[in-house]
């Protein structure tokens, strides 16, 4: 890459876990990458600190009420970047000429519009925000095709599969692919019975054995909904039918996923559990750059174990498979219900095991409808959230 201009990177959700890992990789390679846009929901302190270090051209705060405060604080800190605010400003930034690469690292359905905008604008899209592809898989792929950009998955499992496939999004049959195998750590509650899960707290659920992540995805990892969302994500990213996507529990989190071919070959991607590997791969692809990740030492890492997931105890994974098989907008309904349930669990008003009950009730109440456009999806997302809140109220 000698002599080429640095990639201009917008980091949507810069103050989060993925945002921080991305900025770490970018800072290691100033000749290759520049963080030109940084965004946050409402953490002004954290956003200002990132702007002081990385000197972007634009800082966006999603909560408009905080724009004046952000402007003032940046001025005091001697940072001269542009400031914008509001949900629409995220979408405008994602499509703007300030960036050629967009890291979609907002959590939840809140990331949908900006992810779609980046795709439509033909950016290199580094997708961490799995909820947007779960909700709008087909629409996102269409937007990508129209925009002429490229999507490189950042979710570690999908990044692993991307690396094990022959180039991007190949025709699986023509490439001799039999199965995609997503690994799952099993989360903090692996091996526990339903009775043992009845009283677990949000802090226990967020104490992931292998990964440090935001609280929503940490709870999803504990329920195995995260793996369910990832099955749906893999279906869209790689064009794999539901019966060719399997989940394998692997507590050490060193094998990040596998691809099985018809000749019996199984290719896997391994590495220490550190999101900077997937992020660096996606930023530099098809080249490779140092990610700051320590070397994998298999001689001392201990035995690698694998087991089948427990779909009876961790019902969210079964519900996600069910939603993908049901088709239409069922995955979007599943995602919306899950977001409401996880929020209630984190707030202390719903038990861990009831997260699956809320999701199941919403899927039962709202039969799937064909996905027509984004407006329709947003409306269905709203209906599913309303239905989920009704279930929560009836449970309290
Ligand atoms: P996080 O909670 O640490 O960070 C979320 C970021 O999004 C923050 O910058 C926050 O300010 C911003 N944000 C939240 N709500 C917003 C809203 N309504 N509008 C605008 N901005 C908003 O989350 P994370 O762990 O970094 O995860 C981000 C995404 O990446 C999620 O979709 C998650 O599933 C996915 N992901 C994360 C990891 C990981 O290791 N953390 C791994 C794979 C995939
Ligand atoms: Mg993952």
């Amino acid at each position: 890459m000698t002599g080429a201009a640095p990639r201009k990177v917008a980091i949507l959700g810069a103050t989060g876990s993925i945002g921080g890992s991305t900025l770490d990789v970018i800072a290691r390679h100033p000749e290759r990458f520049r963080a030109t846009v940084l965004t946050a929901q409402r953490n002004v302190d954290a956003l200002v600190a990132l702007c002081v270090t990385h000197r972007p051209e634009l800082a966006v705060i999603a909560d408009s009420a905080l724009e004046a405060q952000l402007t003032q604080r940046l001025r005091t800190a001697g940072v001269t970047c542009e400031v914008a605010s509001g949900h629409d400003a995220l979408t405008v930034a994602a499509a703007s000429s300030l960036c050629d690469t967009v890291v979609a690292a907002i959590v939840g359905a809140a990331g949908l519009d900006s992810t779609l905008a980046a795709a439509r604008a033909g950016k290199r899209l580094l997708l961490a925000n799995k909820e947007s592809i779960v909700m709008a898989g087909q629409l996102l792929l269409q937007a990508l095709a129209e925009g002429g950009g490229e999507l490189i998955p950042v979710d570690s499992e999908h990044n692993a599969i991307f690396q094990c496939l022959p180039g991007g999004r190949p025709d699986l049959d023509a490439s001799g692919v039999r199965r995609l195998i997503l690994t799952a750590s099993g989360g903090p509650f692996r091996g526990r019975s339903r009775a043992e899960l009845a009283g677990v707290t949000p802090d226990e659920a967020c104490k992931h054995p292998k990964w440090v992540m935001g609280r929503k995805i940490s709870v999803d990892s504990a329920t195995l909904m995260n793996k369910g969302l990832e099955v749906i994500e893999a279906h869209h990213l790689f064009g794999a039918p539901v019966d060719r996507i399997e989940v394998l529990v692997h507590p050490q989190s060193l094998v990040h996923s596998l691809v099985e071919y018809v000749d019996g070959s199984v290719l896997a991607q391994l590495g220490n559990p550190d999101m900077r590997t997937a992020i660096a791969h996606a930023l530099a692809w098809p080249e490779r750059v140092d990610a700051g990740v320590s070397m994998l030492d298999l001689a001392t890492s201990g035995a690698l174990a694998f087991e089948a997931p427990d779909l009876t105890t961790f019902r969210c994974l079964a519900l996600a498979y069910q939603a993908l098989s049901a088709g239409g907008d069922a995955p979007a309904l599943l995602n919306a219900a899950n977001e409401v349930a996880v929020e209630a669990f984190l707030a202390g008003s719903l038990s861990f095991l009831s997260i699956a009950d809320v999701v199941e009730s919403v899927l039962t109440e709202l039969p799937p409808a064909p996905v027509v456009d984004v407006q329709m999806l947003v409306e269905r997302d709203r209906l599913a959230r309303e239905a989920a809140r009704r279930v929560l109220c009836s449970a309290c």
Side-chain angles (χ1 to χ4, degrees), residues 70-153:
L70 176 63
T71 305
Q72 178 59 41
R73 296 280 309 282
L74 286 172
R75 196 174 303 145
T76 309
V79 177
T80 53
C81 70
E82 300 276 311
V83 173
S85 72
H87 184 77
D88 290 349
L90 298 169
T91 309
V92 171
S96 79
S97 59
L98 289 174
C99 57
D100 46 51
T101 301
V102 173
V103 181
I106 290 174
V107 60
L112 176 63
D113 292 334
S114 49
T115 302
L116 284 171
R120 263 187 232 112
K123 308 294 182 189
R124 171 174 288 195
L125 176 60
L126 270 62
L127 185 70
N129 175 235
K130 65 190 81 184
E131 294 89 349
S132 59
I133 192 163
V134 166
M135 287 178 75
Q138 224 31 59
L139 298 177
L140 178 59
L141 294 179
Q142 267 167 30
L144 269 168
E146 283 162 25
E150 55 198 356
L151 188 162
I152 320 277

Side-chain angles (χ1 to χ4, degrees), residues 130 155-157 226 230:
K130 65 190 81 184
D155 213 348
S156 56
E157 297 76 3
N226 182 50
E230 290 183 358

Side-chain angles (χ1 to χ4, degrees), residues 12-19 39-43 62 87 90 104-108 110 128-131 154-156 211-217 226 230 275:
L12 311 181
T15 52
S17 163
I18 292 287
T39 85
Q41 185 182 19
R42 49 174 83 95
N43 191 340
H87 184 77
L90 298 169
I106 290 174
V107 60
N129 175 235
K130 65 190 81 184
E131 294 89 349
V154 164
D155 213 348
S156 56
W211 300 94
V212 181
M213 309 180 286
R215 282 172 83 75
K216 192 266 178 179
I217 183 176
N226 182 50
E230 290 183 358
M275 288 306 295

